[in-house]
Amino acid sequence: MNLSRRAFTGGAGIAIASLAFGINRATSAETLRIGLPAVYTPFAALQYASEQGYFGEAPVEITVFRGGSAAQEALAAGAVDVVAVAPPTAALAIGKGVTQKIVALAGAPTPQGWYLVAPPSGAQDAAALAGANIGITAKGSTTDFLAAWSAKTAGISINMVPLGAGIVPALDAGQIQAGVIWPLASFKAISSGQLREVHNYGDLVKDATFDVWAASTNAIESKADQMKAFLSGVGKAIEELQGNESKALEVLSIYHDEKDENVLKLAYSKLIKTMRPTGAVEMKEIQGALDMASLSGITGLPGADQIADLRLL
């Protein structure tokens, strides 16, 4: 099966697309339902794994949602078995009684490709943003946690402005003074000179990961073999892409519908090359993300040892 970007991102409503991987293979295995929060560079490995048949006989169905909150809600409702979310999102759900656990790493171990940016003529450093309006996607999002970390690190107070996907247009219009953006938008805006880097979170934030796979406890117990096949297939794809830059750039170009080689090389070097094929994630990396969430005012989260079950690795 060839998974095109059109198929992966088209559609309407909360769920952008629902795609079945391996459904046509003769198998009695129950389908493993995966929820993704967005079209995001690390998930290009799923496309490659599907095309290469790395999920074996285990049928895998992928749904792309409009953000991490929507993906998490689908897991809580039993509509999917596994989602890619940030640890604080999973912790909030678990704290409310949702029976799920973090099972593996889903992206880079640090927030590679995520930046605090400002217009070229704007603030030269984070300290200059005291009292400024800072664009984030939503309260409780990874952009919120990272912006709060920047404010704490710089010893300043800032005003968070939730803008969804409208951060770059708001910066261009002068409606905000800075914003937190993610790949590929970050690579394109910075490399073109449209925006300037203030904080490079991939380099600055240590021992905190914001891309993990979380699964329902029911799936962990009843679909363990399918989950292992899924994680193994994605891991094999990551390993091959890491060892073949030209193939990886081709996959990324199709996945993102992007032709700028410089942007694609940044996505490859900062994200694909830094991912762990084993899916291994450390408790301190999960806890680091939870600690950063507390900077944005989210308190009372369960600890990493209460929200992770790494037996499938």
Side-chain angles (χ1 to χ4, degrees):
M1 171 184 173
N2 279 324
L3 177 60
S4 68
R5 183 179 183 274
R6 179 184 296 274
F8 212 82
T9 63
I14 293 179
I16 298 179
S18 183
L19 305 170
F21 293 168
I23 291 297
N24 293 329
R25 296 188 180 95
T27 174
S28 60
E30 191 175 356
T31 299
L32 184 67
R33 302 164 301 167
I34 310 294
L36 302 180
V39 174
Y40 180 50
T41 298
F43 306 146
L46 276 71
Q47 171 176 328
Y48 188 69
S50 171
E51 292 175 341
Q52 300 302 310
Y54 291 162
F55 297 137
E57 297 301 315
V60 175
E61 183 180 274
I62 309 293
T63 302
V64 184
F65 294 89
R66 296 187 186 277
S69 294
Q72 175 57 61
E73 289 170 8
L75 182 64
V80 295
D81 301 307
V82 186
V83 293
V85 292
T89 302
L92 282 168
I94 292 169
K96 293 178 181 178
V98 179
T99 53
Q100 66 182 63
K101 296 287 186 179
I102 290 171
V103 296
L105 189 68
T110 59
Q112 294 290 337
W114 295 71
Y115 292 84
L116 176 65
V117 294
S121 60
Q124 297 298 307
D125 54 35
L129 292 170
N133 293 325
I134 309 298
I136 60 173
T137 55
K139 189 64 179 173
S141 67
T142 298
T143 57
D144 181 24
F145 308 146
L146 294 175
W149 181 90
S150 287
K152 175 70 173 180
T153 301
I156 61 173
S157 295
I158 57 176
N159 302 313
M160 306 281 200
V161 183
L163 293 169
I167 295 172
V168 172
L171 282 164
D172 289 341
Q175 297 169 341
I176 54 176
Q177 287 71 58
V180 177
I181 60 176
W182 53 93
L184 289 179
S186 60
F187 301 144
K188 296 174 75 169
I190 294 171
S191 63
S192 69
Q194 178 185 7
L195 297 171
R196 183 170 45 77
E197 169 190 328
V198 177
H199 273 169
N200 178 347
Y201 296 114
D203 290 345
L204 296 173
V205 174
K206 306 298 181 185
D207 294 331
T209 185
F210 290 91
D211 297 322
V212 294
W213 294 115
S216 68
T217 53
N218 179 64
I220 293 172
E221 298 299 332
S222 66
K223 296 184 178 182
D225 289 342
Q226 293 98 312
M227 290 187 61
K228 288 178 181 178
F230 169 72
L231 294 172
S232 176
V234 173
K236 184 174 181 179
I238 292 169
E239 191 170 28
E240 289 195 13
L241 293 175
Q242 288 178 338
N244 189 336
E245 181 175 358
S246 62
K247 172 57 70 175
L249 295 179
E250 177 186 350
V251 169
L252 291 173
S253 178
I254 295 170
Y255 179 75
H256 285 295
D257 193 20
E258 178 61 53
K259 303 302 181 186
D260 189 319
E261 187 174 1
N262 182 50
V263 169
L264 294 172
K265 285 186 174 182
L266 286 169
Y268 174 70
S269 63
K270 290 186 175 293
L271 288 160
I272 299 299
K273 285 289 284 185
T274 60
M275 294 171 69
R276 296 171 182 159
T278 62
V281 60
E282 298 183 30
M283 286 294 185
K284 67 179 181 180
E285 295 169 333
I286 298 172
Q287 188 60 51
L290 301 179
D291 293 342
M292 285 183 66
S294 69
L295 299 178
S296 68
I298 298 177
T299 59
L301 292 177
D305 59 338
Q306 297 173 277
I307 65 172
D309 182 344
L310 308 180
R311 290 177 295 165
L312 295 174
L313 297 176

